[in-house]
Amino acid sequence: MELLLENALVLLDTWPYRFERRNILIDGQFISKVSKNKLKAQEKLDCTNKVILPAFINSHTHSPMSILRGCGEDSSLNTWLKLHIWPLEKKLTDEDIYWGTLLSIIQMFENGIATFNEHYFNINSIVKAIKKANIRSVIGYSMIDLGDFDSKGAKELEIASKIAYELKQDKSFLLAPSINPHAPNTCSKELLRQSAILAKKLNCVLHTHLAETAAEFKFTKEKYGLSPTELLFKTGCLSEKSVLAHSIYVTKKDIKLIKKSKSSIAHCPIANLKLASGSIAPIKEFFENNINLCLGTDGPASNNSLNLLESAKIAILLQKNLYKDASILSADHALYMLTEGGAKALGINSGSIKEGKLADLVFFDLNSPELVPFSNSAAWIIYSASSASITDLLINGKFVLKDKKLLTINKQEVIKKLSLLREKLLLKN
């Protein structure tokens, strides 16, 4: 069935970004026409008071972790993980994972996110929530062997491979597999090497954490004589289908290797700031080297929100402060990371509003006080807008959020269920 979005203020595919009035015709899951001229359709929606952008892409997260939000607050990354998060994660049930994921999806919908790049375990429960909600995801099993491939890594790889092949057969158009070795300091060299081989065989994304902390950098230097980036390069984990979360502790040589491999970097500024896990990622240098950049919230227990607009704003403000130059990067760079950068990193046919692209769109209220007066630039959205102005979200040509109401998830049911499960989880600890 065709849907016509009439007279919307639309983000154009230009640089710098600009907005103009357009009519958008959607046929099934795709955008079939974008025009200044009047169009005909079976169903019409007056969008005179709407601003429409490509829906946002959360390029690195751990969605079930909403059930762990608030645990171990104001701790260092190492303390947070070892004393608070990992002990609780061992006690998580399939039910915990399912409802935790649904709670995160609610937040992603309300923040204009149509796609998320998932890195976790209990994948079947996450997939169940994804299909319930009608959200798009690149998803893979998080592999850790702590340097022991023979007794741990081989089993982890077997689990990841089975899940990836099953996802490859999915016909929902919402799911794509990824191969996810956890990080250079939590995976053996052989697990990294075999992960790269498997990702290449499946022609899918390889999603990993990289150079998140000084401790990680020190670990690989002492064990292998290589930086974390050099280790990933040597094991074949860097390629144009690789998504590298964080990438804070990188040398000039590392940047050259990432550029050479055409890997993408998922920048997660808020989680890095909150956990004080690293300095500020050198995204100015990444852009200067034509490295593709996208944005991630990281998990809802380490951010603690799933507000990607907030991450975009903070990312750019940090660079301005770091270099003491307000012009060092623009709001256009932030909007690119939110949309086109994420689509390129994950190999998804979205990220811009053009004919043939997936109909993944986010709608803002043009009359929202924070968007008045209108300013025809990316800065208007990046510096002024918030989730309070988001009214609708379209994924795969279907509304999941309409007039601020969720259409695929019962919000109150999820909140009630998750709250009860959280109480039970803490009693186990």
Side-chain angles (χ1 to χ4, degrees):
M1 185 174 177
E2 288 183 332
L3 170 64
L4 179 60
L5 307 175
E6 287 191 301
N7 199 35
L9 192 59
V10 174
L11 182 71
L12 301 181
D13 185 32
T14 60
W15 189 274
Y17 289 111
R18 292 291 180 264
F19 296 87
E20 284 188 11
R21 292 284 175 184
R22 291 288 189 274
N23 298 304
I24 304 172
L25 184 62
I26 294 166
D27 188 359
Q29 68 197 72
F30 295 102
I31 297 169
S32 61
K33 201 164 187 64
V34 181
S35 177
K36 292 180 180 180
N37 301 322
K38 288 189 175 182
L39 301 172
K40 294 181 179 181
Q42 297 159 297
E43 184 181 351
K44 296 180 180 181
L45 185 64
D46 181 10
C47 294
T48 303
N49 294 318
K50 303 285 188 180
V51 186
I52 300 182
L53 285 79
F56 304 144
I57 297 170
N58 191 349
S59 297
H60 177 69
T61 193
H62 314 283
S63 60
M65 293 183 76
S66 58
I67 195 170
L68 302 177
R69 183 161 38 218
C71 296
E73 297 288 33
D74 300 320
S75 302
S76 67
L77 177 61
N78 193 49
T79 300
W80 181 74
L81 285 171
K82 291 185 176 180
L83 296 186
H84 303 284
I85 299 302
W86 286 346
L88 285 171
E89 282 185 325
K90 290 178 181 178
K91 298 177 173 67
L92 291 178
T93 65
D94 289 344
E95 190 178 26
D96 293 330
I97 298 289
Y98 173 74
W99 291 99
T101 302
L102 277 181
L103 183 64
S104 289
I105 292 172
I106 288 171
Q107 296 162 81
M108 286 193 268
F109 282 173
E110 293 179 339
N111 283 285
I113 296 167
T115 301
F116 67 102
N117 190 24
E118 180 62 54
H119 202 303
Y120 215 58
F121 50 89
N122 287 56
I123 299 300
N124 289 338
S125 298
I126 302 173
V127 168
K128 181 182 174 184
I130 288 167
K131 291 187 174 181
K132 160 75 176 169
N134 193 58
I135 192 169
R136 197 181 302 284
S137 181
V138 176
I139 180 170
Y141 174 74
S142 184
M143 295 179 281
I144 297 175
D145 69 357
L146 301 177
D148 185 354
F149 181 78
D150 290 340
S151 58
K152 293 181 181 178
K155 293 176 183 176
E156 291 282 272
L157 193 71
E158 185 179 349
I159 294 168
S161 178
K162 183 177 183 293
I163 290 168
Y165 275 103
E166 287 174 355
L167 289 170
K168 196 84 171 172
Q169 305 305 314
D170 187 81
K171 304 299 181 186
S172 68
F173 300 103
L174 293 172
L175 294 162
S178 61
I179 299 302
N180 298 358
H182 182 263
N185 61 324
T186 55
C187 294
S188 65
K189 187 183 273 190
E190 185 60 21
L191 181 54
L192 292 173
R193 186 181 293 112
Q194 292 299 327
S195 295
I197 292 169
L198 181 57
K200 186 176 181 180
K201 186 176 180 180
L202 284 163
N203 192 31
C204 71
V205 166
L206 187 147
H207 180 194
T208 188
H209 301 82
L210 172 65
E212 186 176 0
T213 65
E216 177 189 334
F217 192 95
K218 182 182 179 183
F219 177 89
T220 62
K221 272 288 189 180
E222 290 179 350
K223 185 165 186 176
Y224 302 110
L226 301 168
S227 72
T229 305
E230 289 171 329
L231 178 60
L232 290 191
F233 185 80
K234 286 204 72 158
T235 54
C237 286
L238 297 188
S239 77
E240 62 183 346
K241 288 187 175 292
S242 297
V243 179
L244 314 173
H246 306 295
S247 305
I248 298 169
Y249 288 91
V250 290
T251 65
K252 289 182 179 179
K253 182 181 178 181
D254 292 338
I255 291 172
K256 288 179 181 178
L257 291 176
I258 294 169
K259 178 182 180 179
K260 181 180 179 180
S261 68
K262 299 181 181 179
S263 298
S264 294
I265 291 170
H267 182 40
C268 306
I270 293 179
N272 294 146
L273 288 170
K274 182 173 180 286
L275 292 167
S277 55
S279 57
I280 301 169
I283 67 172
K284 178 183 83 76
E285 283 83 357
F286 294 151
F287 271 117
E288 287 174 346
N289 281 274
N290 295 314
I291 293 169
N292 186 55
L293 278 145
C294 47
L295 280 168
T297 58
D298 210 342
S302 60
N303 182 297
N304 289 14
S305 81
L306 287 150
N307 185 343
L308 207 59
L309 260 177
E310 180 184 54
S311 296
K313 182 176 180 177
I314 292 293
I316 296 303
L317 296 185
L318 279 172
Q319 297 297 305
K320 293 175 185 294
N321 182 68
L322 179 65
Y323 293 98
K324 295 178 172 54
D325 181 354
S327 64
I328 202 77
L329 288 177
S330 70
D332 296 276
H333 292 93
L335 194 48
Y336 172 84
M337 289 191 283
L338 272 173
T339 55
E340 295 180 79
K344 182 177 180 181
L346 301 183
I348 296 169
N349 183 28
S350 63
S352 59
I353 301 176
K354 295 193 293 188
E355 294 174 11
K357 292 287 185 178
L358 287 164
D360 290 1
L361 304 171
V362 58
F363 299 59
F364 287 77
D365 180 2
L366 186 55
N367 292 322
S368 175
E370 64 188 13
L371 294 180
V372 177
F374 169 64
S375 174
N376 200 352
S377 69
W380 181 52
I381 294 294
I382 295 301
Y383 300 142
S384 301
S386 72
S387 59
S389 295
I390 293 173
T391 58
D392 312 272
L393 181 64
L394 198 70
I395 301 178
N396 229 29
K398 296 178 181 178
F399 281 104
V400 295
L401 183 72
K402 189 81 185 302
D403 298 323
K404 290 184 173 284
K405 293 180 180 178
L406 294 162
L407 302 183
T408 59
I409 308 173
N410 184 323
K411 185 175 182 177
Q412 292 309 312
E413 179 191 18
V414 174
I415 290 171
K416 183 178 180 180
K417 185 69 177 179
L418 196 283
S419 298
L420 290 171
L421 289 171
R422 166 61 174 257
E423 288 178 16
K424 289 181 181 178
L425 178 64
L426 294 182
L427 287 173
K428 295 177 188 176
N429 199 33

